[in-house]
Amino acid sequence: MQAQESRATSYTTLADGPDFRHELEVKRSRFITVIRRTGDEDGARALVAGLRREFHDARHHCSAFVLGPDRDIQRSSDDGEPSGTAGIPMLEALIRRETAPGVTDLSDVSAVVVRYFGGILLGAGGLVRAYSESVSSALELAPLVRRSRLRVCSIEVAHSGAGRLENDLRAAGYVMAETSYGARNTVLRIALPDRADELGRAAERLAAMTAGNAVLVTGGTEWIDVPC
């Protein structure tokens, strides 16, 4: 449950799953990029710490992350590279990533680029390009989801009719949330856009589906992943 409502009602983030890794070689320097979905600064820093242990012999572990529905937490680190040549290009690759034509709303994402120096100096411009391309290339591999603030509504129905109603709701395109089971009834939960007109239409449709035998009860809002 979201403790404080944001200005944004949705944003794009990485799908849940393992880290996404990509390796780029530029003039014998290796740039190993790892991106992870992270919900807070502790998670972002844990990624950096873990990669420092894994790649303990690397010269640089540069990082950037953007957090929150409003993307109001943004941090980056050059980790010993010349100032402005690593962390900031990485951060810009995150915040400028288009998730749809003309849309840049990627958030809750951390990126770390581990560099093994290959013996050839790349210069400031070369470093900027390498770190930016490393993050952009890793993002190309990562599946994305929409994370939306939705109003979760409950529907209490007899166990015998719960399966059919759930199938009907899914077929109608509703996003299903957690289902719970009581002694006699099943409580189905659907997640709806937090607007009065959407709630009204859903209530009417539910009444039609169940011949008026089920009622839509509105609850609180939650952030829920919706496939892109």
Side-chain angles (χ1 to χ4, degrees):
M1 191 73 67
Q2 194 75 10
Q4 180 178 358
E5 292 210 342
S6 63
R7 297 182 299 278
T9 58
S10 66
Y11 61 99
T12 303
T13 190
L14 301 179
D16 277 329
D19 297 341
F20 300 94
R21 298 194 175 204
H22 178 268
E23 183 168 339
L24 177 70
E25 184 172 323
V26 181
K27 295 183 179 178
R28 297 206 296 267
S29 280
R30 294 174 61 202
F31 294 84
I32 303 167
T33 303
V34 181
I35 57 174
R36 177 185 293 177
R37 177 169 169 171
T38 47
D40 54 35
E41 293 192 52
D42 287 343
R45 295 192 175 99
L47 175 61
V48 178
L51 292 173
R52 284 190 188 280
R53 291 191 296 271
E54 180 179 351
F55 299 101
H56 57 86
D57 56 341
R59 180 172 292 191
H60 305 286
H61 303 77
C62 305
S63 60
F65 58 84
V66 55
L67 305 174
D70 298 314
R71 309 207 298 173
D72 48 0
I73 300 175
Q74 299 179 9
R75 304 281 188 273
S76 66
S77 169
D78 293 315
D79 193 41
E81 293 282 28
S83 179
T85 63
I88 290 176
M90 292 170 59
L91 181 60
E92 289 181 346
L94 294 176
I95 64 178
R96 293 181 180 178
R97 171 73 174 180
E98 283 200 358
T99 57
V103 178
T104 53
D105 66 349
L106 186 68
S107 193
D108 287 355
V109 178
S110 299
V112 177
V113 177
V114 177
R115 182 190 179 198
Y116 284 92
F117 181 55
I120 300 174
L121 295 176
L122 302 183
L127 288 172
V128 168
R129 287 189 294 272
Y131 279 102
S132 177
E133 183 181 347
S134 294
V135 174
S136 295
S137 296
L139 289 173
E140 290 285 350
L141 305 175
L144 303 177
V145 295
R146 295 291 296 167
R147 189 152 176 81
S148 299
R149 190 176 68 220
L150 301 175
R151 181 69 60 179
V152 178
C153 302
S154 60
I155 306 162
E156 190 169 346
V157 62
H159 293 314
S160 58
R164 179 176 178 179
L165 179 56
E166 181 175 355
N167 288 337
D168 290 344
L169 291 168
R170 290 186 185 277
Y174 290 110
V175 175
M176 303 302 299
E178 183 181 1
T179 296
S180 60
Y181 302 92
R184 295 184 177 181
N185 294 324
T186 298
V187 179
L188 302 174
R189 292 182 175 84
I190 60 174
L192 301 168
D194 191 20
R195 301 196 309 271
D197 59 335
E198 292 283 354
L199 296 172
R201 278 195 291 269
E204 291 175 2
R205 196 161 190 180
L206 176 64
M209 286 178 174
T210 63
N213 291 321
V215 177
L216 190 72
V217 178
T218 57
T221 58
E222 294 183 19
W223 287 93
I224 294 175
D225 288 357
V226 181
C228 289

